[in-house]
Amino acid sequence: MRNLLIYFCFLYSCLVSGQSTLKGKITNGGGEALEFAVVFLEGSQWAASTDQYGNYQISGITPGVYRIKVTHTAYQSVFDTLTFSDQNMVKHFIMPVFMYELMSIQIIANKLNQNNPFRYTLLDKDKIPNKNTGVDIPALLQNTPSLLVTSDAGNGIGYSSLSIRGSDQTRINVNINGVPVNDAESQNVFWVNMPDLSSSTQSVQIQRGIGASTNGPGAFGGSVLLDTKTIHQNPFITLAGSLGSFMSSKGNLALGTGLMNDRYYVEGRYSHILSDGFIDRAKSKLSGIYLAAGSVTQKSSLRFQIISGKEITYQAWNGVPESKVFGTQNDLQQHYNRNLGTLYKSQLDSSNLFSSDRRYNYYTYENQVDNYRQTQSQVSYNQELNKNLSFQATGFYTFGSGYFEQFRFDDTLEDYGFTGVTDTSGNEVLSGNLARRRWLRNHFYGILADVKGEINQEHQWQAGIFASNYDGNHFGEIVKTWFETNSPIWNKYYNSKGQKKDVSGYARYTGKMGNVFSLYGDVQLRKVDYSIQGLLDDRRIADIQKKYLFFNPKAGMTIQVSKQNNIMFSWAVANREPARSDFTDHIGLNSDPKPERMYNYELAFRHKGELVNIQTGLYFMDYRNQLVLNGNLNDVGAPLRINVPKSYRLGWESEAEYHLHKHWTVLGNLTLSQNRILNFEEVIYDYTNGFEVLVHPLGNTPISYSPAVMGSLEILYSPNKEMSIAWTGKYVSKQYLDNTGKSDRTIPAFHVHSLRASYVLKPKFCKELTFHLLIQNLFNRIYVNSGYTYSYIFGQPVRENFYFPQAGIHGFGGFEVKF
């Protein structure tokens, strides 16, 4: 009996040693683990289904060659052939074609691909750095080519803006899923109204130059296209939080159903962000809501989306005097003496100036805040009519309402339209301390539709239309006085309306000539009707009505030199109307602001290889009547602009990605540019004896806020799939605060460094737990990245520079847990 038992044990061990185990993980192209995917060996009894983490295991496989098939109800099947001996195997599968992926039938009018002859950078969700820290979208994009970011509060939370190739944010077209985000009147983008938008963003494409025709306003310096339409296959709950310097914190909760019945989905997110800011009192209290729901089939999709943001930020837009940032105590005293009675009107103003450091904030009133809520709604329908024809239509509505409140020292009541005001004793009150609110309540709604077709695989066409209407109500009110009065002064002291109707259409052709040449042609026709009527905030009467008709053609060619290399060339024309402030600032002058025109030429070489990706080339942006920043701000911190007849931007722009080693990657970009105005004339006001306007011809001068050199370098180390560490350096050369080219009106060159790290765990209680750390301004540099200037004559020439200092070394740390 004992010998028989030994025999059977030996026989069993032989059988087991001749069998194999196959295990691995099934994910989709977006990296999501797929539950209920089935893996089986064709022609055999061996099969397994994935668990909630996408893992599978098949045991007892006898040696042989098998064809492996992986199936899922929402994906096309994946096949492979494996040879089994007596070794265990690990095999992961990616199901790349998501049959219900919206991008397969979604048309985004101005999104580019590798064959288009324009310059762009694409960041998918995993390549958007620092998105869990609570900083605004501009701060997340700051290391992309030719892009410069500014922050009023100095730490990237609150009011932030960006420029591309020196073009300010009013020239940069921003849209979410094809819907314009730029305010129709100011043409600006208020990122603070969309807190934590990055948490719901799947990809960002940054176009430089004019780019492709877009629905609505044409880009005049660049485009930032945000995509939030990716659908999650599986149910999910994500909880994230972070803490950082200056009492900064962020928390968000996101959840979704995944695809229910392989068709329906609902998802949402709530975010809350707090920060004291680097600048004194530059606090931010932000909250954001994202909701999306829809249904999808293989041929169509219907999607509803809401993005709502609420922001309360303490104003820091007055900047810091140059003498407090870079000067001596004597310089500060001289600045104070020059501005006593104008900037510094009270004892509190004076003590505030001398008691603070470079974090100085001019404002001291406790409710000197910007308080605004904006809600964007979209409903979009996509339909694949047949394999060669698809259609999309989107309706949108954006509602915004809010105000900024200001304390005013000893303001004249007549400036607010009030006369005969008396105090409680019956004495007339001519002036006094008060607080005012300036309101904006606006509605922006419209529709866009696109159709895309294929003549054959070599020739495609696309066309679209866009129509929108904007109604903006601007009004002001006095909400508090520091004097007693029996007279009513609470009515609206100004009330004006702006209306803008925008209708456009475009048509586009892309085609191939053999395997070498790809052609591109694009035309857009755009009609704009704009009016401003009523009483402005300075109580001037406005009656402005303007109509524009713009024709914007584009053409280009891509030459496929080899499988990995191509050369592209493009030519494009863009026209753009002035913004609201350009009109209101010109009231009373002899001429109205003129629309701008730009001719954009791009020439680039692109290499895409296994280890190295390179894009390098020249650009030339030739302007007529460009509206350039003149370095001054109006009384609410908005920059002022003037037309210059001829100007240009000429530059060389490069970016590269080098996979140095399986654990090391180096990414870098560099822009060298010359940005010039031809025959610029400086205007100076002389207040010595009344008011006199002096004009000084200066000839060829540099364009303000346009650095000649910008560059970024990142070294990324990933020792394994769970951990990554990245060091980043950014350099920006000297910028001029106005268009005179004078050395005493500059933003000094600066370079800053950051370090970020993340580590991913997969504990049993959740799908994934990620810890992240970010250290900004690693070497504690003292620098500024924006500012403004003004000059005048009062007995002698006076020049004042103001800057926006950025924080020294600071950091964020946090976590994200996925269930």
Side-chain angles (χ1 to χ4, degrees), residues 413 419-429 483-487:
L413 294 184
T419 57
V421 177
T422 59
D423 60 22
T424 54
S425 300
N427 300 316
E428 186 176 9
V429 179
F483 55 87
E484 297 292 334
T485 177
N486 291 325
S487 304

Side-chain angles (χ1 to χ4, degrees), residues 114 559-567 605-615:
Q114 190 69 17
I559 303 172
Q560 199 67 39
V561 179
S562 65
K563 185 178 180 180
Q564 295 181 325
N565 304 304
N566 66 38
I567 299 171
F605 167 78
R606 294 185 289 211
H607 170 82
K608 188 174 180 61
E610 293 184 4
L611 298 178
V612 180
N613 295 322
I614 298 173
Q615 186 175 178

Side-chain angles (χ1 to χ4, degrees), residues 5 81 84 102 191 415 514 635 761:
L5 181 60
T81 301
F84 293 90
L102 286 180
W191 299 99
D415 292 344
D635 64 341
L761 298 173

Side-chain angles (χ1 to χ4, degrees), residues 687-751:
Y687 300 101
T688 305
N689 298 303
F691 177 80
E692 184 179 2
V693 178
L694 305 178
V695 178
H696 294 164
L698 297 178
N700 191 319
T701 62
I703 301 176
S704 58
Y705 304 99
S706 301
V709 182
M710 280 191 286
S712 177
L713 179 66
E714 176 173 298
I715 300 176
L716 176 64
Y717 173 58
S718 300
N720 49 53
K721 293 182 179 180
E722 291 76 30
M723 186 177 183
S724 67
I725 302 172
W727 166 86
T728 304
K730 174 92 173 184
Y731 174 79
V732 179
S733 68
K734 176 178 67 176
Q735 304 171 65
Y736 291 94
L737 290 170
D738 63 11
N739 302 297
T740 64
K742 295 181 178 179
S743 59
D744 61 352
R745 308 173 191 181
T746 61
I747 299 171
F750 63 89
H751 58 96

